[in-house]
């Protein structure tokens, strides 16, 4: 009988609220660019009160890099709220063709 090894594929979700300013999104994305990463998904929504909600999903980050990105994002000017969560899937995500 062969044993089957189960692998989990992590996706890290960064959720943040920031000032609604033209330079906010480029500063946020520069953190990922400097780490050599391209997010899998980016979603930004503007609120009436002058804030922007940003959700960024990246795949296969180790704990050290996740903590480093969290620290860099939290140090940005204009970020008022930041949280992360790790989503585990049993199989890799496939892009629709």
């Amino acid at each position: 009988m062969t044993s089957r090894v189960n692998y989990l594929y992590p996706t890290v979700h960064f959720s943040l609220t920031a000032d609604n300013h033209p330079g906010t999104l480029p500063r946020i994305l520069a953190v990922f660019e400097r780490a050599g990463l391209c997010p899998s998904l980016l979603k930004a929504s503007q609120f009436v009160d002058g804030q922007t909600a940003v959700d960024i999903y990246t795949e296969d980050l180790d704990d050290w890099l996740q903590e480093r990105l969290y620290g860099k994002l939290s140090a940005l000017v204009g970020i008022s709220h930041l949280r992360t969560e790790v989503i585990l899937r049993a199989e890799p995500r496939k892009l629709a063709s």
Side-chain angles (χ1 to χ4, degrees):
M1 183 161 124
T2 61
S3 65
R4 184 174 155 185
V5 178
N6 292 325
Y7 293 99
L8 295 176
Y9 298 91
T11 298
V12 180
H13 173 212
F14 294 89
S15 177
L16 55 97
T17 305
D19 293 338
N20 185 21
H21 185 272
T24 300
L25 284 177
R27 281 195 311 268
I28 292 169
L29 289 176
V31 171
F32 292 88
E33 185 266 332
R34 280 185 235 121
L37 298 171
C38 184
S40 303
L41 177 67
L42 169 71
K43 179 182 172 188
S45 303
Q46 182 180 350
F47 295 128
V48 177
D49 65 353
Q51 294 286 304
T52 299
V54 181
D55 293 299
I56 302 171
Y57 294 84
T58 57
E59 297 181 0
D60 299 326
L61 291 182
D62 59 26
D63 292 339
W64 179 83
L65 186 53
Q66 179 183 339
E67 289 175 15
R68 184 168 180 226
L69 291 172
Y70 184 91
K72 298 281 186 183
L73 289 170
S74 63
L76 291 176
V77 173
I79 303 297
S80 57
H81 175 76
L82 173 63
R83 71 176 181 88
T84 61
E85 67 177 334
V86 178
I87 304 164
L88 298 174
R89 293 180 323 280
E91 58 187 48
R93 179 174 293 173
K94 296 178 184 172
L95 297 176
S97 54

